[in-house]
Amino acid sequence: MSVLHIIEIIIFIAASFGIYKLFKAKKYQIPTCLAVITLLFLILLFQFVFLPGHSGPSISFKGGDHLTLEVGTNYDVNSVIATDGLSDITDLLKADSTPDTTKTGEYTIRYTLEYKGDVYYKDRVVSVVDTTAPVIELKEKTAFLAMDNYDGDITANVQVETEQQKDGKYLLTYTVSDSSGNKTTATRTVETLDTEAPVIELNGNKIKVIMVGETYKDEGVKAIDNMDGDVSSRVQSDCGGSFKSDVAGIYKIQYTAEDSSGNKSTATRTVHVLNKIGYDSSLWKTPDGKGVVYLTFDDGPSEVTIKNLDILKQYGVKATFFIVNHNYNESTKPIIKRIIEEGHTLALHDGNNHDYDKTYGSKTSYLEGINRLHDQVLADFGYDARIIRFPGGASNQVSKKPSPGLMGTLPKLMLDNGYLYYDWNVDSTDATTTNAKDPVAIYNNVTKGLKQGRINVVLMHDIKSKTATNEALDDIIKYGIDNGYNFAAITEDTPLVCHNATNV
Ligand code: ZN
């Protein structure tokens, strides 16, 4: 209210009082008095409401000072009006922002008006809300999709409840909420329930080895579903876009199979691309520059294996056990089971009783022995052992007598059959006659051999006479931990550590 208004009201009251006095003095009749007072009042009202400059400009919002908008709709910029008396001065309005109606939230917009040398402003609050519930689309069999106007695909958030009815059918209830808490439920009844994903079987070996520059041809997979049958043609394969057959490295190819009920399964194939077969220390560098220790034990299992497992367990360290067939029997099966269950790698060393003349007796005798041992482990434990170590290493001389030149072809034969072979780059010397019974010598040879920045494959043994190795183990692990080494078990993702063959 301005001074002008107060003056006007005083004049109005004074005039009304004057007229009342004149009435009392009987100069006027009542109707005339009322008519004059009403006229005065109307003039006053007109002044107040309509005359420019009288009450200042006003800013008003159609839809209210606090507007609520559904996300995705438009904010009407014409819903703000500025007037001064009867004249529209909306063109002079300036807004400091516009609400982002694609995102939920509360926005405050300041409207400013510069008018006749003064600045006026008024704030408007716009709440952008999502009140639209998601939509669940029921697809073929038990497949479904949940889409939300705001969150997009939220299929992964759907909760499915299954309830078997009296008639043996299943009532499926799907429930999902969007990020604003809007909930949708859908139900359907199905005769049978398919919760089993397709089973993927790789064509060819799970591990492939090729040379740099060689063309890699993927052999694909077979995928069989319990309900849909052969879904091989629907399998998606992905190598993460990184596969380069001209760069040495380890690549993973992932296969995904999905049945019509939306059950998914995956399988992977590992491809090693090598510069050459044999010694290649360029593969040993670790990505983070830290040293990694792969403790390996040959020729077990035996009762010493149990003692080694106890120490490894105490430190949470994983190792690799290269077993031989002649130490694989009913009494050592629990040890093999323990190796697998405690997360170590069960690897294969020899399937011909570690008898070099038999092991290396022909071009294929080593492979045949390993295959037999592999199949036995698979049958007994469901474990697909794919890591091997040649007796005496790939650099062995012992194959020379039965098969001259054998190691010129055997490494490639094993790789082509889906086995990765690992020699060692740190020798504990626990197989030598001088050091076999000397824990200090074993400890010294291992710790001197370890190098930072690379993978270290440590050769040790766990036949029952190797108690000195067991005695040195605790301190070897302590040394590794104290010096910042990581410990790991060899897997198909471990770069090859190989010797050059000599019997070629
Ligand atoms: Zn051996």
Side-chain angles (χ1 to χ4, degrees):
M1 200 182 280
S2 64
V3 179
L4 201 60
H5 291 132
I6 296 163
I7 294 166
E8 279 171 353
I9 289 166
I10 292 167
I11 292 169
F12 172 72
I13 293 166
S16 300
F17 187 73
I19 288 160
Y20 171 73
K21 282 283 189 190
L22 287 171
F23 163 73
K24 274 255 180 156
K26 300 219 190 306
K27 292 243 168 150
Y28 295 117
Q29 298 297 307
I30 291 175
T32 317
C33 285
L34 281 178
V36 173
I37 290 170
T38 307
L39 187 67
L40 277 174
F41 179 74
L42 285 174
I43 291 165
L44 189 73
L45 197 68
F46 181 80
Q47 294 266 104
F48 260 74
V49 179
F50 297 114
L51 280 196
H54 226 84
S55 49
S58 85
I59 300 168
S60 63
F61 302 122
K62 278 194 257 172
D65 293 359
H66 189 158
L67 182 69
T68 301
L69 274 185
E70 184 69 15
V71 68
T73 59
N74 290 324
Y75 174 64
D76 181 8
V77 291
N78 297 319
S79 66
V80 185
I81 289 161
T83 52
D84 184 21
L86 281 176
S87 55
D88 188 327
I89 50 168
T90 304
D91 286 352
L92 302 173
L93 268 180
K94 282 193 183 89
D96 70 343
S97 60
T98 45
D100 182 357
T101 58
T102 65
K103 285 195 176 74
T104 56
E106 202 167 79
Y107 304 86
T108 302
I109 313 163
R110 171 153 296 188
Y111 286 93
T112 310
L113 188 65
E114 270 182 59
Y115 187 60
K116 290 185 175 168
D118 278 319
V119 180
Y120 304 85
Y121 68 85
K122 193 173 177 182
D123 289 342
R124 185 182 209 183
V125 177
V126 179
S127 294
V128 178
V129 297
D130 173 24
T131 61
T132 311
V135 176
I136 297 176
E137 189 191 336
L138 299 177
K139 303 180 80 166
E140 205 187 339
K141 293 185 182 171
T142 54
F144 57 87
L145 195 69
M147 296 297 289
D148 184 59
N149 65 316
Y150 188 62
D151 301 336
D153 189 341
I154 50 169
T155 308
N157 300 348
V158 175
Q159 304 273 331
V160 188
E161 266 178 50
T162 309
E163 197 189 319
Q164 191 161 21
Q165 307 294 95
K166 285 193 187 103
D167 59 5
K169 292 179 184 173
Y170 296 90
L171 175 70
L172 301 179
T173 307
Y174 304 86
T175 312
V176 73
S177 294
D178 67 13
S179 57
S180 298
N182 303 297
K183 193 169 153 183
T184 300
T185 300
T187 59
R188 74 166 144 204
T189 307
V190 292
E191 304 270 336
T192 49
L193 223 45
D194 178 15
T195 54
E196 251 176 74
V199 176
I200 302 176
E201 204 179 296
L202 270 63
N203 297 329
N205 296 322
K206 195 168 173 277
I207 298 166
K208 294 288 289 181
V209 179
I210 61 166
M211 295 301 126
V212 162
E214 208 177 298
T215 309
Y216 173 72
K217 194 179 170 299
D218 194 71
E219 291 165 272
V221 298
K222 251 195 279 306
I224 307 295
D225 185 59
N226 62 325
M227 304 288 276
D228 300 349
D230 193 334
V231 293
S232 305
S233 60
R234 287 196 252 155
V235 171
Q236 306 272 327
S237 72
D238 178 25
C239 56
S242 64
F243 194 96
K244 280 192 185 132
S245 64
D246 57 348
V247 178
I250 301 166
Y251 303 92
K252 305 292 265 186
I253 298 170
Q254 188 172 60
Y255 306 92
T256 307
E258 186 174 0
D259 68 13
S260 56
S261 298
N263 300 302
K264 267 187 198 171
S265 56
T266 59
T268 53
R269 194 191 309 270
T270 308
V271 183
H272 283 243
V273 179
L274 303 180
N275 293 310
K276 56 179 278 221
I277 290 175
Y279 182 90
D280 183 0
S281 59
S282 72
L283 304 174
W284 304 352
K285 241 183 116 192
T286 55
D288 62 359
K290 278 187 116 184
V292 185
V293 180
Y294 293 88
L295 298 174
T296 70
F297 300 92
D298 287 9
D299 303 343
S302 76
E303 55 215 51
V304 164
T305 313
I306 298 171
K307 288 182 179 173
N308 291 342
L309 285 168
D310 289 343
I311 294 173
L312 293 167
K313 192 175 185 178
Q314 193 188 322
Y315 289 97
V317 164
K318 307 297 175 208
T320 307
F321 293 87
F322 290 91
I323 62 165
V324 292
N325 70 305
H326 61 281
N327 283 334
Y328 187 140
N329 52 52
E330 284 310 314
S331 70
T332 58
K333 269 189 190 176
I335 307 173
I336 296 173
K337 188 164 178 270
R338 199 179 148 191
I339 290 171
I340 296 169
E341 283 179 354
E342 293 185 2
H344 304 288
T345 292
L346 185 70
L348 311 175
H349 190 36
D350 194 7
N352 288 293
N353 303 323
H354 219 295
D355 173 341
Y356 294 125
D357 286 350
K358 274 194 201 158
T359 296
Y360 296 130
S362 76
K363 275 187 173 347
T364 56
S365 52
Y366 180 66
L367 173 64
E368 286 156 11
I370 287 293
N371 277 340
R372 281 195 300 273
L373 191 53
H374 168 272
D375 293 351
Q376 194 182 347
V377 169
L378 189 63
D380 288 344
F381 302 100
Y383 187 95
D384 185 15
R386 287 286 159 191
I387 308 298
I388 63 158
R389 172 173 286 159
F390 293 112
S395 54
N396 76 79
Q397 298 282 327
V398 291
S399 56
K400 227 171 211 171
K401 184 172 71 113
S403 300
L406 176 68
M407 298 312 287
T409 56
L410 192 55
K412 183 166 171 21
L413 180 71
M414 298 310 290
L415 296 174
D416 287 347
N417 278 275
Y419 294 108
L420 294 175
Y421 71 96
Y422 289 82
D423 293 316
W424 55 90
N425 52 15
V426 179
D427 187 355
S428 73
T429 69
D430 69 345
T432 64
T433 39
T434 42
N435 293 342
K437 301 225 175 297
D438 185 350
V440 176
I442 292 167
Y443 171 85
N444 286 339
N445 281 306
V446 173
T447 54
K448 271 183 208 138
L450 295 179
K451 287 198 177 84
Q452 298 285 0
R454 67 159 199 186
I455 58 178
N456 297 275
V457 177
V458 181
L459 174 69
M460 295 189 286
H461 295 79
D462 63 344
I463 49 172
K464 67 177 177 189
S465 61
K466 301 294 177 187
T467 50
T469 309
N470 172 260
E471 282 165 49
L473 185 59
D474 196 292
D475 285 340
I476 289 170
I477 295 173
K478 267 190 207 142
Y479 174 89
I481 292 168
D482 290 348
N483 288 278
Y485 287 93
N486 291 321
F487 287 86
I490 296 173
T491 69
E492 70 260 32
D493 299 330
T494 308
L496 288 177
V497 173
C498 301
H499 297 164
N500 278 329
T502 53
N503 175 27
V504 294

